[in-house]
């Protein structure tokens, strides 16, 4: 049994013990667990929302967190079990969700399939590069991100990501060129996911790294 399973087990034992002793703070949650229908879900959320400004405020936050975690995991399990039935766009969205919650390996498996079936679609290449970057698999991340740019030359976010990867690989001059080329497409990409502050910070870091490396 892993750490997460132990924490969940301890929580449910605690909830059950409180429920047996008539603690109303947990009663709605126990009823929802016994019959997790949409009606009971809404009723339970409304109940704990109403407690957020009372004496049971923090218990209410705790119970709402567990409710949403339960529902999140239930829906993730459904998506995982029915992955082959998802539309292409839904598969991409699911992979992005896995990326957001740091399930990188699972997200990469889906991006790989999308790359295989739709090699001219830039976004799965770019997002796979992001997952690989966060796993510190920099060489693979660079390859995936370059592929995103080859497929779509004006993919601004991909250039910024490539510069960040190349910085990690100590390719400072190359990273600066990647970033500056990306900036030429700044206004043409309506789906930019990176803020100007992040770009400016990266640009300044690269300039400083290049200056330091040339002076050594």
């Amino acid at each position: 049994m892993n750490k997460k399973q132990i924490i969940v087990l301890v929580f449910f034992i605690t909830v059950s013990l409180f429920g047996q002793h008539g603690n109303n703070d947990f009663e709605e949650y126990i009823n929802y667990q016994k019959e997790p229908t949409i009606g009971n879900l809404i009723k339970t959320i409304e109940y704990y929302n109403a407690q957020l400004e009372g004496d049971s405020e923090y218990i209410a936050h705790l119970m709402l967190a567990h409710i949403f975690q339960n529902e999140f995991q239930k829906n993730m399990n459904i998506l995982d079990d029915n992955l082959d039935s998802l539309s292409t766009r839904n598969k991409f969205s699911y992979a992005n969700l896995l990326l957001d919650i740091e399930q990188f390996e699972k997200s990469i498996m889906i991006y790989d399939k999308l790359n295989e079936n739709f090699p001219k679609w830039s976004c799965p290449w770019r997002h796979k590069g992001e997952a690989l970057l966060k796993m510190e698999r920099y060489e693979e991340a660079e390859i995936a991100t370059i592929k995103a740019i080859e497929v779509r030359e004006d993919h601004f976010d991909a250039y910024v990501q490539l510069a960040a990867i190349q910085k990690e690989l100590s390719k400072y001059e190359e990273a600066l060129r990647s970033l500056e080329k990306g900036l030429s497409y700044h206004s043409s990409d309506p789906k930019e996911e990176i803020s100007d502050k992040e770009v400016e910070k990266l640009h300044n870091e690269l300039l400083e790294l290049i200056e330091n490396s040339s002076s050594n």
Side-chain angles (χ1 to χ4, degrees), residues 5-16:
Q5 289 172 321
I6 293 170
I7 292 170
V8 171
L9 178 60
V10 170
F11 171 75
F12 281 117
I13 291 171
T14 304
V15 169
S16 298

Side-chain angles (χ1 to χ4, degrees), residues 5 25 42-43 46 84 123 147 157 173 190 202 204:
Q5 289 172 321
D25 288 331
I42 294 170
K43 178 184 174 185
E46 288 177 345
D84 291 340
C123 293
K147 188 66 179 178
D157 294 337
E173 297 274 3
L202 178 58
N204 290 337

Side-chain angles (χ1 to χ4, degrees), residues 2-215:
N2 61 37
K3 184 177 179 182
K4 183 177 179 182
Q5 289 172 321
I6 293 170
I7 292 170
V8 171
L9 178 60
V10 170
F11 171 75
F12 281 117
I13 291 171
T14 304
V15 169
S16 298
L17 288 172
F18 272 103
Q20 289 168 13
H21 290 83
N23 190 307
N24 292 331
D25 288 331
F26 294 93
E27 186 175 349
E28 286 293 331
Y29 184 83
I30 293 169
N31 291 336
Y32 151 73
Q33 279 292 306
K34 288 178 180 175
E35 194 176 352
T37 63
I38 188 66
N40 279 344
L41 172 62
I42 294 170
K43 178 184 174 185
T44 307
I45 291 172
E46 288 177 345
Y47 174 82
Y48 288 115
N49 270 331
Q51 310 301 314
L52 291 176
E53 296 183 4
D55 294 336
S56 301
E57 174 188 357
Y58 298 117
I59 289 292
H61 281 294
L62 176 64
M63 303 317 295
L64 285 168
H66 277 287
I67 290 165
F68 291 129
Q69 183 186 47
N70 290 346
E71 291 299 316
F72 176 79
Q73 194 56 57
K74 180 174 75 176
N75 284 284
M76 292 296 283
N77 290 340
I78 291 170
L79 291 168
D80 192 49
D81 291 342
N82 295 278
L83 181 59
D84 291 340
S85 300
L86 299 183
S87 69
T88 298
R89 287 287 175 181
N90 285 341
K91 285 177 183 175
F92 179 58
S93 295
Y94 179 46
N96 293 344
L97 181 53
L98 291 168
L99 174 59
D100 286 342
I101 62 173
E102 300 186 354
Q103 292 192 19
F104 302 128
E105 291 285 2
K106 287 181 72 174
S107 72
I108 288 170
M109 287 174 59
I110 300 174
Y111 293 134
D112 279 341
K113 268 295 181 191
L114 293 170
N115 295 155
E116 181 182 339
N117 295 329
F118 306 96
K120 297 298 184 182
W121 185 9
S122 178
C123 293
W125 288 109
R126 206 285 292 166
H127 285 248
K128 181 168 75 173
E130 181 181 345
L132 291 163
L133 168 60
K134 289 179 176 177
M135 295 176 73
E136 300 183 0
R137 289 161 56 179
Y138 300 124
E139 290 83 2
E140 294 169 84
E142 184 180 33
I143 291 169
T145 309
I146 288 173
K147 188 66 179 178
I149 292 168
E150 288 175 352
V151 170
R152 190 179 125 208
E153 190 179 359
D154 67 346
H155 198 156
F156 170 72
D157 294 337
Y159 285 102
V160 179
Q161 180 172 290
L162 180 59
I165 294 165
Q166 290 169 334
K167 185 190 83 168
E168 296 296 336
L169 292 167
S170 300
K171 299 178 179 179
Y172 306 135
E173 297 274 3
E174 198 171 340
L176 185 61
R177 288 196 296 271
S178 297
L179 184 60
E180 290 179 343
K181 185 172 181 182
L183 287 169
S184 68
Y185 297 111
H186 191 304
S187 60
S188 66
D189 189 345
K191 297 180 181 179
E192 292 168 8
E193 300 176 18
I194 301 170
S195 70
D196 290 344
K197 284 186 178 180
E198 290 175 285
V199 174
E200 184 180 1
K201 180 174 180 289
L202 178 58
H203 188 260
N204 290 337
E205 286 174 351
L206 289 171
L207 291 174
E208 184 177 348
L209 286 165
I210 290 168
E211 182 179 352
N212 290 340
S213 61
S214 60
S215 62

